[in-house]
Amino acid sequence: MTFSSVVGRFRIFALAEAISWAGLLLGMFFKYVVVQNEIGVKIFGPIHGVIFVGFVLVTLMAKEPLKWDARTLVLGLLSSIPPFGTVIFERWANKTGRLSEAAPEQL
């Protein structure tokens, strides 16, 4: 996985988005259940927000090079809403051939 390809950027942001979700959920657990301290939410909230926006942008930019139809694009965008949905979408897209690398001259 590298930032030099569309697929690499998409996979990195999909994983990062899921990890930031986990951090935010952990922060909310500590805030509301364990210690009533919001430091975890204050840290992971903005991180998750930036990565979420990055994932949406990378997903929009992947449509043309990967030749996604509107349905695939919408599913990709919607996958950013539920926790860990981006990883599920990435695995599905990989399994169904929607993350196939295009020839270098097409990128």
Side-chain angles (χ1 to χ4, degrees):
M1 287 192 303
T2 68
F3 275 109
S4 63
S5 72
V6 173
V7 173
R9 283 188 295 272
F10 180 81
R11 286 185 167 153
I12 288 168
F13 270 93
L15 180 61
E17 208 271 345
I19 291 169
S20 71
W21 249 124
L24 184 57
L25 291 172
L26 187 63
M28 291 187 329
F29 175 76
F30 277 94
K31 177 181 178 180
Y32 295 110
V33 176
V34 179
V35 292
Q36 279 67 43
N37 184 331
E38 33 182 88
I39 189 72
V41 175
K42 286 183 177 181
I43 292 171
F44 285 106
I47 292 170
H48 175 70
V50 168
I51 294 173
F52 171 84
V53 170
F55 176 80
V56 168
L57 292 174
V58 166
T59 302
L60 290 170
M61 291 187 297
K63 182 187 186 305
E64 287 299 317
L66 297 178
K67 297 179 180 11
W68 285 354
D69 58 3
R71 177 181 170 263
T72 304
L73 177 64
V74 168
L75 287 174
L77 293 172
L78 289 176
S79 74
S80 64
I81 297 171
F84 316 112
T86 56
V87 172
I88 294 168
F89 176 79
E90 185 272 333
R91 288 184 177 178
W92 172 80
N94 189 45
K95 185 189 296 186
T96 58
R98 288 172 172 84
L99 287 181
S100 298
E101 290 279 357
E105 63 272 1
Q106 292 178 347
L107 295 176

